[in-house]
């Protein structure tokens, strides 16, 4: 019977950290970019002009029906074809994540905005505020509060999804860990580590949501 | 000062307003009543352009509400509006609710705006509630903040859409008192309400609406003693006896 050898984690630390850094970068870019682009899409979808709302709706439907792996492949092969030069797997993965997440954030933001009572905007407009000011000072602050738990949940999902970048030959945290696991013959230790890290991240997000909810009700 | 002429409004095929005309002169208080669904809220929201209409004209101080060249936000900033469900901003304190439009529409500094807000909140009896959130206030207090928010813009006229019908009975009077005071000071007011006592005390005229039409437009004395239409009579017996 083999004893556990937790030293494998320390020995492969810098390699694992690289994977962790890539995961973190993907999560960060996907979240920030996805929120910004998703906000634009949500505004388009809420427009009363059909030719503005329809393209955004189509985009969201298509993106949400495709598996992320496919989207990653797509951008990896399509963007170089479209712009005539290679952009590297990291760049294509970042773009793919942003485009993919934007569709989900669009729906989260749209629901958040739609849940703010119509009378709130009317009250703001009635005092002479312009539409943009009503959005910024009255509707969005309320929408953001309602959206916060869903956004945190989405961040956890993205973190789990970063492992899919192996299809474009990138190593995220999970992939680096599994490389070490088979190279050093220490799967138990490595996959335990992976599970613990995922668990910590998920629990912190849950705690953040709870903390946030408590803060709101007082 | 407010002139409504032959206003028609439909939602899809459903016609809500069928040719409404009315005028409200400077300093006048006009009460609008009528059964549920008769188009009272729709009409009052047409006056400040919150609801667009297909036919007819509405002018406020000579400025047309439906003219695409009109600066609607500027026009609205001169007309206060008070809502049935208060519509205070829940993420702001009472003071911030009252200051918001002063800062972003009238371009007052925050200090200036807050100073004015404090004065108005004190005037409506909420001097001790400046830093409370709407959720910490009673319905009557919330509606008084709603009135203060409108007054802070120094409006030339005020629109009220059933300001007391969401309130518990014991809170109705504190709101009506504030409105009555405003009327006595000469504010031009259009008030949708079923508070006939209020109408009897302060209204100059009463409009009775039914089915998207203004069936009566009469001085209040005449409305209460001798309504011209059968439907107004029925309506009056209903609201006065319950
Ligand atoms: N946004 C809308 N879309 C479709 N129909 C509407 C809309 N707003 C109002 N209506 C309809 O217009 C009619 C008149 O509504 P309105 O709110 O003006 O009546 P009201 O006289 O204010 O009634 P209440 O006393 O119940 O407030 C109602 O039948 C209502 O269902
Ligand atoms: Mg109404």
């Amino acid at each position: 019977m083999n004893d556990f050898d937790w030293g494998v984690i320390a020995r492969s630390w810098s390699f694992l950290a690289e994977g962790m850094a890539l995961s973190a970068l993907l999560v960060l870019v996907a979240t920030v970019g996805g929120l910004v682009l998703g906000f634009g899409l949500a505004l388009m979808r809420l427009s009363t002009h059909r030719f503005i709302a329809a393209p955004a709706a189509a985009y969201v439907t298509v993106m949400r029906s495709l598996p992320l792996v496919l989207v990653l492949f797509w951008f990896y092969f399509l963007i170089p074809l479209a712009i005539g030069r290679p952009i590297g797997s990291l760049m294509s993965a970042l773009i793919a994540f942003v485009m993919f997440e934007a569709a989900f954030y669009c729906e989260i933001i749209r629901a958040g905005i739609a849940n703010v009572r119509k009378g709130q905007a009317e009250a703001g407009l009635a005092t002479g505020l312009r539409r943009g000011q009503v959005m910024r000072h009255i509707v969005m602050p309320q929408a953001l509060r309602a959206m916060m738990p869903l956004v945190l949940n989405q961040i956890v999902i993205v973190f789990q999804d970063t492992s899919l970048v192996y299809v474009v030959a990138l190593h995220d945290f999970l992939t680096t860990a599994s490389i070490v696991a088979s190279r050093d013959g220490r799967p138990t230790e490595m996959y335990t580590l992976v599970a613990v890290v995922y668990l910590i991240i998920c629990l912190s997000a849950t705690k953040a949501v709870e903390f946030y909810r408590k803060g709101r009700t007082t | 000062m407010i002139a409504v002429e032959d206003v028609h409004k439909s939602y899809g095929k459903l016609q809500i307003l069928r040719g409404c005309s009315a005028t409200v002169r400077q300093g006048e208080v006009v009460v609008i009543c009528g059964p549920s669904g008769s188009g009272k809220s729709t009409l009052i929201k047409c006056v400040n352009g919150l609801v667009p209409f297909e036919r007819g004209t509405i002018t406020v101080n000579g400025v047309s509400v439906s003219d695409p060249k009109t600066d609607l936000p500027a026009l609205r900033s001169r007309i206060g509006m008070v809502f049935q469900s208060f519509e205070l901003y829940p993420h702001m304190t009472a003071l911030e609710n009252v200051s918001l439009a002063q800062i972003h529409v009238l371009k007052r500094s925050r200090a200036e705006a807050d100073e004015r807000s404090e004065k108005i909140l004190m005037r409506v009896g909420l001097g001790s509630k400046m830093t409370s959130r709407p959720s910490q206030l009673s319905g009557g207090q919330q509606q008084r903040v709603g009135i203060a928010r409108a007054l802070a813009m120094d409006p030339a006229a005020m629109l009220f859409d059933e300001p007391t019908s969401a309130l518990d009975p014991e809170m109705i009077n504190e709101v009506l008192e504030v409105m009555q005071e405003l009327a006595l000071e000469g504010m031009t007011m259009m008030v949708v309400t079923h508070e006939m006592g209020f109408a009897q005390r302060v209204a100059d005229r009463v409009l009775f609406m039914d089915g998207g039409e203004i069936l009566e437009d009469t001085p209040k004395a005449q409305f209460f003693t001798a309504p011209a239409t059968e439907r107004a009579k029925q309506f009056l017996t209903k609201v006065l006896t319950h």
Side-chain angles (χ1 to χ4, degrees):
Chain A
M1 239 192 4
N2 265 357
D3 285 336
F4 291 129
D5 173 18
W6 297 103
V8 67
I9 295 172
R11 286 195 302 277
S12 53
W13 184 249
S14 66
F15 184 53
L16 288 171
E18 269 172 46
M20 191 48 111
L22 178 71
S23 290
L25 177 70
L26 282 166
V27 170
L28 187 73
V29 173
T31 304
V32 175
L35 277 170
V36 171
L37 192 58
F39 181 63
L41 285 166
L43 289 185
M44 284 174 74
R45 285 207 69 176
L46 288 167
S47 165
T48 46
H49 295 285
R50 272 188 59 194
F51 52 90
I52 295 179
Y59 176 87
V60 169
T61 309
V62 170
M63 274 299 174
R64 297 219 305 170
S65 61
L66 297 177
L68 178 56
V69 179
L70 188 64
V71 178
L72 281 165
F73 269 132
W74 244 24
F75 282 95
Y76 185 65
F77 292 113
L78 278 185
I79 295 180
L81 279 182
I83 65 171
R85 63 189 175 81
I87 56 164
S89 27
L90 178 61
M91 194 46 114
S92 79
L94 287 173
I95 294 173
F97 261 92
V98 168
M99 302 294 272
F100 188 74
E101 289 307 312
F104 288 87
Y105 282 123
C106 167
E107 292 307 274
I108 291 174
I109 294 169
R110 187 173 70 109
I113 292 174
N115 269 335
V116 178
R117 296 150 45 113
K118 197 169 155 246
Q120 287 284 303
E122 284 185 343
L125 290 172
T127 57
L129 292 168
R130 292 173 188 277
R131 286 198 177 278
Q133 293 175 317
V134 167
M135 204 59 174
R136 168 143 181 255
H137 299 292
I138 299 168
V139 177
M140 279 321 286
Q142 296 182 55
L144 280 173
R145 277 161 208 237
M147 277 160 43
M148 214 47 204
L150 293 174
V151 170
L152 285 169
N153 186 46
Q154 193 64 23
I155 291 175
V156 172
I157 295 176
V158 177
F159 180 69
Q160 292 170 352
D161 282 351
T162 57
S163 62
L164 293 172
V165 294
Y166 76 87
V167 298
V168 291
L170 291 174
H171 301 333
D172 82 311
F173 175 60
L174 175 58
T175 312
T176 49
S178 71
I179 290 171
V180 175
S182 53
R183 184 193 65 194
D184 297 0
R186 289 286 168 193
T188 318
E189 291 84 344
M190 291 318 289
Y191 290 125
T192 308
L193 172 71
V194 170
V196 167
V197 168
Y198 275 98
L199 196 66
I200 288 171
I201 285 174
C202 188
L203 282 178
S204 341
T206 314
K207 277 279 166 240
V209 172
E210 269 173 28
F211 184 74
Y212 186 80
R213 286 218 170 111
K214 266 198 205 126
R216 267 183 76 193
T217 47
T218 50
Chain B
M1 113 156 257
I2 299 173
V4 180
E5 256 170 73
D6 195 34
V7 168
H8 288 70
K9 166 73 191 172
S10 311
Y11 284 112
K13 278 193 191 140
L14 187 67
Q15 199 171 6
I16 308 297
L17 298 180
R18 309 159 184 270
C20 294
S21 302
T23 55
V24 182
R25 282 181 289 275
Q26 179 87 40
E28 236 182 349
V29 177
V30 171
V31 160
I32 305 172
C33 60
S36 184
S38 55
K40 307 179 297 291
S41 299
T42 307
L43 179 66
I44 209 162
K45 283 178 184 168
C46 285
V47 172
N48 65 355
L50 282 180
V51 168
F53 47 92
E54 302 97 46
R55 229 173 89 192
T57 55
I58 296 179
T59 58
V60 179
N61 274 338
V63 181
S64 165
V65 172
S66 54
D67 186 339
K69 288 195 289 279
T70 298
D71 182 0
L72 258 189
L75 180 71
R76 286 172 180 148
S77 72
R78 307 282 298 128
I79 312 172
M81 185 163 213
V82 175
F83 298 83
Q84 177 173 2
S85 44
F86 324 133
E87 302 300 351
L88 296 186
Y89 315 132
H91 55 299
M92 297 182 193
T93 63
L95 190 75
E96 289 166 336
N97 265 275
V98 181
S99 290
L100 184 73
Q102 294 181 66
I103 294 168
H104 296 287
V105 178
L106 302 180
K107 307 294 176 199
R108 289 182 183 152
S109 71
R110 176 165 289 281
E112 259 180 296
D114 285 350
E115 200 187 318
R116 173 107 176 94
S117 303
E118 281 173 22
K119 276 205 189 104
I120 296 179
L121 282 170
M122 273 192 289
R123 191 183 144 189
V124 299
L126 293 172
S128 59
K129 299 288 180 189
M130 313 255 186
T131 55
S132 302
R133 299 274 169 141
S135 58
Q136 299 164 322
L137 299 175
S138 74
Q141 292 170 334
Q142 288 186 58
Q143 193 58 297
R144 283 183 282 151
V145 176
I147 295 173
R149 178 174 66 183
L151 287 178
M153 305 296 286
D154 302 311
M158 292 273 288
L159 309 174
F160 294 84
D161 189 3
E162 305 204 35
T164 58
S165 48
L167 297 177
D168 293 334
E170 69 270 21
M171 292 172 187
I172 291 178
N173 274 328
E174 64 188 58
V175 171
L176 289 182
E177 269 162 31
V178 172
M179 291 169 60
Q180 200 164 326
E181 217 171 280
L182 268 180
L184 290 176
E185 286 167 16
M187 177 63 78
T188 308
M189 293 163 61
M190 262 178 114
V191 186
V192 176
T193 186
H194 289 166
E195 291 295 328
M196 289 302 137
F198 174 80
Q200 270 168 328
R201 268 172 285 147
V202 304
D204 294 298
R205 280 183 299 128
V206 179
L207 306 188
F208 175 71
M209 286 187 75
D210 196 7
E213 288 175 287
I214 298 174
L215 294 183
E216 306 221 10
D217 180 350
T218 46
K220 74 168 166 207
Q222 191 184 332
F223 181 76
F224 287 111
T225 51
T229 59
E230 197 52 40
R231 270 188 278 179
K233 260 178 226 160
Q234 286 168 1
F235 176 78
L236 269 178
T237 38
K238 229 188 256 168
V239 292
L240 289 179
T241 50
H242 92 28

